[in-house]
Amino acid sequence: MAILEHIPDLEKCVAKIDDLLRPDGVAYLQGCPLWAGSHGHHVWVLKEEGDYDSELTPEIENRTNGPLFSFVEKDKNPIPHWAHLVLTPDSLTEFLTKENVSESHARRIINFVYNVDGTMIGCCSNFKSASEIIKTFQTKFIVDAERIPSAHPNEYFTAARKKYSYWDLQTHGLMLWLKPKSYMLERVREPDPKVSVIVPFYKVEDYLGECIESIIRQDYKNIEIILVDDASPDGSRGIAQRFAAKDSRIRVLTHEKNEGLGPARNTGVHHATGFYVFFLDSDDLLHSSQAIGKLVSAAQSHSNCPVVVGGCVRLMANGKIQPVDHIDDRGGLNKSGGVVHGVEAFLAGVRLPNAYYLPPRAWGALIERTFYENLMLDFPSGEHEDLVHTPFLYFLADNVLYVKDIVVTYRYRDCSISNARWTPEMVRRYGDLWRNFKSIALRRGLENYLGDCAFKFIYHLIWRMRNNSFDDDSRTEVLNLVGNMFQDVENVTYKHEFYRSMNSVRKFVGGTFRRDKYYEWLTKSLPEDLVLDYYRNHSVLGRLSFGQWLRWF
């Protein structure tokens, strides 16, 4: 379907596609230009045969003399980009007449753009922005959207920001792929479903054996154990092969070169045959022999939840056990366990302070394999890969069950990836993670949360670096990355997270505003209203009088 912008009743269209599409089917739709894009007004006025001043008609079939006014031809488009969103019919008429468009032509253009008399709905836009279209289809479908960018911003773009988001104004057209959500409710449940436990390993010869033993000891026996050797240079592979020789449920897969934890997990999924997949890191343990069985039981009793997340505890180097989720979930509405839905699940996965709690990690969750493979949501390469994976997994699952049962013992190690000293290369890879996150968020209609997520990423980066230590050259890389991420911020909802992240950046940079590039980023990269809000409410400047504040600059 290629007429997204012309569908007058999107809700009715959604219901019809949902009725016609097979449970395992995919629908493709596209539309361009959209109403909130640079020239979503769709002006296309043709001159009839004969006198130049004859009546204008919107009938596209009448192409005898070509279009007199056309949104697709720059020299025939009488309306500046985004002006149709800012001007009223009267003010646009006045503008057109000043541009030497005849009064009769101007009236017909206005009728075409705004459907003044109600007769033009078949030709002009349905007045829906990209986000409105995506959210309407998300009521019934898992939506993957690719956006066609608009023109370069002008003064009308700036004025239109009062009503439309930056991303809606920057979306000229959309391509949508739809998969029914209903198929998740129609899956056949196996009475004893197989679970594929996927364990990537690299340089963990001191821990891998204990990890594998914790899986073998499970009371739930219908499992396969997929060990992925990510080109480990130590004795880890030999350990894996010895276990595989004794247990037919174990397979060892091999990477020719080291690709990282994320790609190793992807390899495991591609070879999995279970109804469920379960990721476990090679230096961690299943907490008890009932761990997998408890998750399967919970999943079977919540058939509408394709993702079930269990709890964990932390094993310290001195052998002591520390609680994790039992501390982090305090105050959550589902702190005793429960289902979290859609956007709330996404926000919980990003660790933004909403009403619910979900553990934001890649391992420790039971995931329906077919559902997961259909998402095509592979882990990225690089450190902290869960930041770009888990929130979107939760969002696309729509229903995520959190159970309080402890299923994983997470081993804290000073030499683990999470605790490694930061280098400039690691910072650059973190920047790649953010760009990947932003791309997926835009495809999934989550652009309104990008500002909050950007500050969450920034805070996480600086917190990690201050805890783990970093090379001196890494500081410059961080400043460049933070400056670029500021440019992706249009607004924020969670002001506390915004203030906290800004304070962490100030401490990381050091010095005063006048001596550091940070001042330039604040005034040029961030929206002015956010800068003023921070100065007035949560910085040292907020304690100054207005006159003192002006003299500061």
Side-chain angles (χ1 to χ4, degrees):
M1 185 181 296
I3 55 170
L4 270 176
E5 72 276 27
H6 297 307
I7 301 172
D9 190 337
L10 281 175
E11 289 79 8
K12 186 176 180 179
C13 177
V14 168
K16 192 63 176 179
I17 295 175
D18 186 48
D19 182 54
L20 295 175
L21 194 61
R22 288 172 43 181
D24 60 346
V26 177
Y28 171 78
L29 300 91
Q30 67 183 41
C32 185
L34 302 182
W35 174 249
S38 52
H39 41 283
H41 48 72
H42 274 70
V43 162
W44 186 298
V45 180
L46 305 177
K47 186 172 75 69
E48 291 183 338
E49 288 284 350
D51 183 66
Y52 182 84
D53 292 325
S54 63
E55 289 292 312
L56 299 176
T57 173
E59 297 299 333
I60 295 177
E61 290 79 4
N62 181 6
R63 298 178 180 272
T64 51
N65 286 343
L68 184 60
F69 299 106
S70 169
F71 69 95
V72 297
E73 299 180 54
K74 185 176 181 180
D75 60 341
K76 294 184 179 181
N77 183 3
I79 304 175
H81 292 158
W82 295 287
H84 63 291
L85 303 175
V86 177
L87 301 179
T88 64
D90 289 341
S91 59
L92 183 54
T93 300
E94 183 180 351
F95 172 87
L96 292 172
T97 55
K98 288 181 179 179
E99 294 295 315
N100 298 319
V101 176
S102 71
E103 184 177 346
S104 62
H105 290 174
R107 286 199 306 271
R108 288 163 176 79
I109 290 173
I110 295 303
N111 188 38
F112 197 103
V113 172
Y114 299 107
N115 190 25
V116 176
D117 64 4
T119 65
M120 312 298 289
I121 194 64
C123 291
C124 71
S125 170
N126 58 15
F127 312 113
K128 297 292 186 182
S129 67
S131 62
E132 290 174 315
I133 292 173
I134 291 172
K135 284 177 172 55
T136 302
F137 280 99
Q138 282 177 334
T139 59
K140 292 289 186 180
F141 302 100
I142 294 175
V143 178
D144 191 354
E146 184 172 337
R147 297 166 185 256
I148 302 170
S150 283
H152 188 74
N154 59 15
E155 67 274 18
Y156 291 107
F157 177 96
T158 303
R161 283 286 286 111
K162 296 178 180 178
K163 183 177 180 181
Y164 295 93
S165 74
Y166 171 88
W167 298 108
D168 278 340
L169 296 174
Q170 278 292 305
T171 302
H172 178 57
L174 275 179
M175 293 179 282
L176 301 182
W177 290 264
L178 313 177
K179 294 182 180 180
K181 288 183 178 180
S182 58
Y183 86 94
M184 291 192 293
L185 304 177
E186 300 171 2
R187 296 182 301 273
V188 176
R189 293 280 172 172
E190 301 176 9
D192 185 30
K194 181 192 289 186
V195 178
S196 300
V197 181
I198 298 170
V199 183
F201 64 86
Y202 181 78
K203 289 186 178 181
V204 285
E205 61 182 355
D206 293 338
Y207 311 104
L208 182 59
E210 192 176 0
C211 172
I212 298 173
E213 286 176 352
S214 75
I215 306 171
I216 294 174
R217 287 198 303 265
Q218 291 301 297
D219 295 338
Y220 191 86
K221 298 303 182 183
N222 192 13
I223 62 176
E224 65 174 353
I225 305 169
I226 301 176
L227 307 176
V228 184
D229 177 9
D230 194 27
S232 183
D234 62 359
S236 298
R237 181 174 179 82
I239 295 171
Q241 289 175 326
R242 285 195 293 274
F243 276 99
K246 298 176 182 179
D247 194 323
S248 61
R249 299 176 299 173
I250 299 177
R251 284 186 286 158
V252 181
L253 308 177
T254 305
H255 281 177
E256 294 300 322
K257 62 179 182 179
N258 180 250
E259 299 181 32
L261 188 56
R265 290 197 188 107
N266 298 336
T267 296
V269 172
H270 297 158
H271 288 81
T273 62
F275 186 84
Y276 297 107
V277 294
F278 179 91
F279 300 113
L280 182 66
D281 283 358
S282 52
D283 53 351
D284 296 337
L285 313 168
L286 290 177
H287 185 69
S288 72
S289 61
Q290 295 86 37
I292 296 295
K294 288 180 178 179
L295 290 180
V296 172
S297 177
Q300 295 292 84
S301 62
H302 291 77
S303 60
N304 64 332
C305 295
V307 177
V308 179
V309 189
C312 87
V313 291
R314 183 185 293 112
L315 174 62
M316 304 304 293
N318 60 8
K320 291 185 177 181
I321 297 291
Q322 293 182 348
V324 177
D325 298 310
H326 289 190
I327 293 177
D328 292 344
D329 66 12
R330 286 180 298 184
L333 294 180
N334 62 326
K335 61 184 178 182
S336 59
V339 179
V340 187
H341 308 282
V343 171
E344 295 289 352
F346 169 78
L347 296 175
V350 181
R351 293 296 299 272
L352 286 168
N354 67 339
Y356 297 91
Y357 175 77
L358 286 174
R361 48 186 177 248
W363 42 263
L366 196 69
I367 308 167
E368 288 193 10
R369 181 175 60 85
T370 301
F371 154 79
Y372 182 69
E373 290 177 334
N374 284 336
L375 296 181
M376 295 184 289
L377 187 69
D378 283 351
F379 283 95
S381 58
E383 304 83 5
H384 309 288
E385 72 292 334
D386 52 323
L387 297 177
V388 186
H389 183 272
T390 306
F392 298 111
L393 172 65
Y394 290 169
F395 172 70
L396 295 170
D398 203 40
N399 299 297
V400 181
L401 175 64
Y402 168 52
V403 297
K404 293 285 289 186
D405 297 295
I406 304 300
V407 297
V408 173
T409 298
Y410 161 69
R411 190 189 303 271
Y412 181 85
R413 294 193 294 133
D414 290 335
C415 59
S416 68
I417 295 175
S418 298
N419 296 318
R421 179 181 176 86
W422 283 75
T423 65
E425 291 75 17
M426 290 175 66
V427 177
R428 286 192 285 270
R429 288 196 293 269
Y430 195 88
D432 292 337
L433 282 182
W434 168 248
R435 286 182 284 274
N436 192 355
F437 183 97
K438 181 176 72 171
S439 174
I440 299 174
L442 290 174
R443 284 170 45 200
R444 300 300 183 177
L446 295 164
E447 64 276 2
N448 289 339
Y449 302 100
L450 272 178
D452 295 300
C453 293
F455 283 113
K456 194 69 181 182
F457 263 69
I458 290 169
Y459 182 83
H460 176 267
L461 169 63
I462 293 176
W463 173 73
R464 281 290 185 187
M465 293 186 69
R466 294 177 74 91
N467 281 349
N468 298 3
S469 76
F470 53 91
D471 298 339
D472 289 339
D473 292 341
S474 300
R475 187 184 297 272
T476 301
E477 289 292 339
V478 171
L479 301 184
N480 291 333
L481 175 57
V482 170
N484 290 332
M485 292 179 70
F486 277 176
Q487 295 177 22
D488 293 325
V489 175
E490 287 299 312
N491 53 63
V492 296
T493 300
Y494 298 93
K495 290 294 183 70
H496 173 73
E497 293 294 319
F498 164 56
Y499 298 147
R500 185 172 71 154
S501 297
M502 293 290 282
N503 286 340
S504 72
V505 173
R506 286 185 63 185
K507 292 178 182 178
F508 183 81
V509 172
T512 66
F513 289 146
R514 290 188 182 278
R515 292 205 304 263
D516 294 295
K517 292 182 179 179
Y518 178 52
Y519 167 71
E520 180 180 351
W521 295 334
L522 280 176
T523 56
K524 292 185 178 180
S525 298
L526 286 175
E528 182 180 350
D529 59 335
L530 283 182
V531 177
L532 294 176
D533 180 86
Y534 175 69
Y535 286 164
R536 290 169 177 165
N537 295 300
H538 215 77
S539 76
V540 64
L541 300 182
R543 296 191 291 272
L544 303 178
S545 68
F546 186 69
Q548 291 173 319
W549 186 85
L550 289 176
R551 287 194 295 275
W552 179 278
F553 296 99

